[in-house]
Amino acid sequence: MTVARSILLFLLAALAEIGGAWLVWQGVREHRGAAWIGAGIIALGLYGFVATLQPDANFGRILAAYGGVFVAGSLLWGMAFDGFRPDRWDVTGAAICLIGVAVIMYAPRPA
């Protein structure tokens, strides 16, 4: 159950951070205005909070592993909202990152 909870928290963190950054991007680069920027700032704050809910207590481990989730999630976000089509190298790199997440977070460690 702890691994499932951790994965869910990583997904929620990715949604908040990537979504927040995208909202700020839309507000600034696509000239959608202050409401989009403000919503993005709130979402980015939620990301910071969600990351603290991970069962592992090691900040460095959580953020290092989250980096891999961020890489894969960013590609998926681009596909869903910006028409981005990753090539095989994007997909390969994201898969490598997710393998890294699994090793960092879920490898057996002594108690």
Side-chain angles (χ1 to χ4, degrees):
M1 187 63 167
T2 301
V3 172
R5 177 175 182 243
S6 174
I7 291 169
L8 176 63
L9 288 169
F10 275 135
L11 294 174
L12 291 173
L15 181 66
E17 186 184 20
I18 299 164
W22 184 81
L23 287 166
V24 171
W25 179 284
Q26 293 297 307
V28 175
R29 303 264 314 227
E30 302 299 326
H31 308 288
R32 295 202 173 171
W36 286 69
I37 296 167
I41 291 168
I42 291 168
L44 288 166
L46 287 172
Y47 152 72
F49 179 75
V50 170
T52 68
L53 301 176
Q54 281 287 347
D56 190 299
N58 297 291
F59 175 82
R61 181 177 294 142
I62 299 301
L63 270 285
Y66 174 69
V69 174
F70 179 82
V71 168
S74 295
L75 294 174
L76 291 170
W77 189 280
M79 290 171 60
F81 294 100
D82 287 326
F84 174 71
R85 295 294 167 246
D87 63 22
R88 65 183 169 153
W89 300 112
D90 295 322
V91 173
T92 301
I96 291 168
C97 289
L98 291 175
I99 291 167
V101 171
V103 170
I104 291 169
M105 287 300 296
Y106 311 120
R109 290 187 168 84

